[in-house]
Amino acid sequence: MKKILILSLFLSLLAWGLLPAQTPSRSDRVVVAYVTAWTDVMPDPTLMTHINYAFGHVSESFDAVRIDHPERLRQIVASKGEAKVCLSIGGWGSGRFSEMASTALRRKRFAESCAAAVREFGLDGIDMDWEYPTSSAAGISSSKDDTENFTLLMQELRAAIGPDCLLTFASPASARYVDFAAVLPLVDWVNVMAYDMGRPPRHNAALYKSDISGRISSDDAVKRHLDAGVPADKVVMGMPFYGHGKEGYADYVDYKDLPAPLEGHHEVWDPVAKVPYYANADGRLVLGFDNPRSIGEKCRYIVRSGLRGGMYWDYGGDNASNDLARTVAEILLPRSFVSAGAVRPASYAGSQPRFRALLYYSDEVEEAHRQFSHQAVAFFRKLTVGEGFVLDVSQTLPEDLSPYDVIVMPDVAPGSAADRARFEKYMEEGGGWVGFHAAAYNDLSTGWEWFRNFLGGVRFLCNTWPPQPGLMQVESRVHPVTRSLPERFVAPSSEFYQWTPDPRSNPSVQVLVSLAPENFPMGLKDVVFGGDFPVVWTNTDYRMVYLNMGHGDECFTDATQNLLFVNALRWVVSQRSAGDPFLR
Ligand code: ZN
């Protein structure tokens, strides 16, 4: 009786709209990566839940599926790890759909051919990419009956592959061409192609409408699908790993090939559309693209809106360190999915790691520094997954530092004379260093003049206390360490040091991030009332970045700051004399 009461109360609450509609939790959220037949980049399956292999096509005889580079599809299935692999059929300019779908016999044979491909290749499903029923915009044949025939085709496909196989389709941002009410019961979700919504001088894929967005934004594309009756937990929002340019930039630019702005051009963040772009001297958009910051905005939108997940076109457009795919995975997937238990795909077994890093830390430090150090070990270790690098972790400074392209030092610096001499030699011979917080601590008692000069000639002056978050201002929009960051962000709780003399007074020092003046007075017990307060800088005489964050267990809780840490590591490594290992 009690159970029935509770159940009826629950049902009435549901009926009154007092309970939220079921929203996907992180564990059933999907990340769908389109992986093309025409590249040889192997996807890192720890960064996604689903791989859509692009493409298969309707055969010349209109009644079977033909797969591009089937051997590559086999390789991807063989190294898919925990991810599922679907065959995506169609793509822009891929035709013969209208003819195939026009008769019951062809639909049936085509669906059987798809089911046979699922069995033969060990696939998990089929994704239909007919662009678009009733439209010849892509130079393909079409008919006014296509919409109805698409529904019949999807019915035939579902019957042929069975209820346990995935069936999805790609839908344009406009949400046109398909009878959603009829098709939705047949499919697991809809991949919304929220890109190509504008060309310069308009954004490729603005998250929200701004005065230079295309006619439709990603937000509009999602809402159009919701309005068409697609429930939020069947909407998978697409994101482009490419941009569109003109005036000296290619029409189609993969993120990995993003050039520096041309002479007189500069990078701008559209605060309304939430995407970056390059502007010419007149301020007009000449290249619209996405970067980790905009992809992060879009993923947070997906979470807020309770959508099923995110999709991107295409995996091969990402850079070698997977900045975009990693951003998507970090925000949309359970933490365990991208860290513990992640298995290197078989295809990487024979490939060389990109570089070698040492993380040198100590447990013989105060508790808050030990916390940061242990989290730093986990953070940097996670970055080695996939096509990564070798990370050695040690509480002693190894005898031979020469194999390392970079040494990361959270909260500790070499102390003995022998360790100091070895580190000095390593850095003078072109070594790389990423130091955090107390790693740079030095005062009159430290007695290591070389180290003080290495840091920019500075000594610890004072600190804020207790630890608290700080408003950061990014000082360089050009430097690779900070150019993908917002102009300002709040750094999670830490203790901040002030230095003497001001590192900025050294012409070799470039300050990248500093505390914004709005923070002052900062601290309760130890109060800093103002003055220049550099937080991240590089001494350009060395291959080094110093970051003052690193006190306590909250420093890795902010995606923007994590990106700063990754950028710092990558930039220091990219400057090594052996060449930039991130260039494919
Ligand atoms: Zn501290």
Side-chain angles (χ1 to χ4, degrees), residues 203 206-220 224 270 272-273:
H203 292 300
L207 176 54
Y208 297 106
K209 265 216 180 73
S210 78
D211 51 1
I212 53 167
S213 65
R215 200 165 44 83
I216 303 177
S217 67
S218 308
D219 175 51
D220 294 331
R224 284 184 185 214
D270 182 334
V272 179

Side-chain angles (χ1 to χ4, degrees), residues 369 437 495 497 551:
H369 294 177
H437 197 55
E495 172 201 25
Y497 296 165
H551 184 102

Side-chain angles (χ1 to χ4, degrees), residues 366 369 437 460 463-468 493-497 548-551:
E366 63 176 281
H369 294 177
H437 197 55
F460 171 83
N463 59 279
T464 62
W465 196 261
Q468 67 182 92
S493 182
S494 191
E495 172 201 25
F496 296 98
Y497 296 165
N548 188 228
M549 304 83 173
H551 184 102

Side-chain angles (χ1 to χ4, degrees), residues 359-397:
L359 193 149
Y360 168 63
Y361 78 106
S362 173
D363 274 335
E364 307 299 313
V365 293
E366 63 176 281
E367 175 59 18
H369 294 177
R370 198 156 46 229
Q371 287 172 339
F372 177 78
S373 299
H374 286 204
Q375 291 186 348
V377 170
F379 180 81
F380 287 104
R381 200 166 253 158
K382 195 171 68 182
L383 297 183
T384 67
V385 170
E387 281 185 87
F389 54 97
V390 173
L391 180 71
D392 293 334
V393 176
S394 175
Q395 292 208 46
T396 55
L397 202 64

Side-chain angles (χ1 to χ4, degrees), residues 23-230:
T23 55
S25 66
R26 279 171 76 99
S27 57
D28 55 9
R29 205 172 282 140
V30 298
V31 169
V32 181
Y34 277 89
V35 177
T36 65
W38 57 86
T39 56
D40 54 10
V41 182
M42 291 299 285
D44 177 347
T46 64
L47 298 176
M48 61 204 62
T49 60
H50 294 79
I51 295 166
N52 278 357
Y53 181 76
F55 285 109
H57 305 278
V58 179
S59 69
E60 275 73 12
S61 52
F62 305 120
D63 61 356
V65 62
R66 174 177 62 71
I67 300 172
D68 290 337
H69 295 109
E71 273 318 303
R72 176 160 161 75
L73 175 55
R74 279 184 217 284
Q75 283 172 6
I76 288 172
V77 171
S79 62
K80 68 178 186 173
E82 301 282 305
K84 296 190 184 310
V85 181
C86 298
L87 174 64
S88 187
I89 302 171
W92 188 250
S94 182
R96 297 187 284 273
F97 283 96
S98 188
E99 295 89 336
M100 175 268 288
S102 66
T103 78
L105 183 62
R106 284 176 180 169
R107 286 193 298 267
K108 190 167 173 30
R109 285 187 175 160
F110 177 80
E112 280 165 0
S113 169
C114 289
V118 166
R119 288 191 298 272
E120 184 192 339
F121 288 85
L123 303 175
D124 298 287
I126 297 289
D127 173 62
M128 292 300 290
D129 255 8
W130 179 352
E131 300 181 19
Y132 315 100
T134 71
S135 166
S136 289
I140 61 173
S141 49
S142 65
S143 131
K144 62 177 174 36
D145 300 324
D146 286 346
T147 296
E148 196 185 332
N149 291 341
F150 179 76
T151 302
L152 297 172
L153 171 65
M154 294 301 267
Q155 284 170 356
E156 205 67 70
L157 275 167
R158 177 49 88 192
I161 63 177
D164 299 329
C165 247
L166 289 163
L167 182 61
T168 61
F169 68 97
S171 176
S174 62
R176 291 171 61 195
Y177 310 117
V178 166
D179 179 354
F180 282 97
V183 172
L184 279 170
L186 302 166
V187 300
D188 292 276
W189 64 76
V190 180
N191 294 310
V192 177
M193 296 185 282
Y195 33 73
D196 296 327
M197 298 179 292
R199 298 269 171 160
R202 302 200 163 270
H203 292 300
N204 176 28
L207 176 54
Y208 297 106
K209 265 216 180 73
S210 78
D211 51 1
I212 53 167
S213 65
R215 200 165 44 83
I216 303 177
S217 67
S218 308
D219 175 51
D220 294 331
V222 166
K223 285 182 174 143
R224 284 184 185 214
H225 283 82
L226 296 174
D227 290 346
V230 187

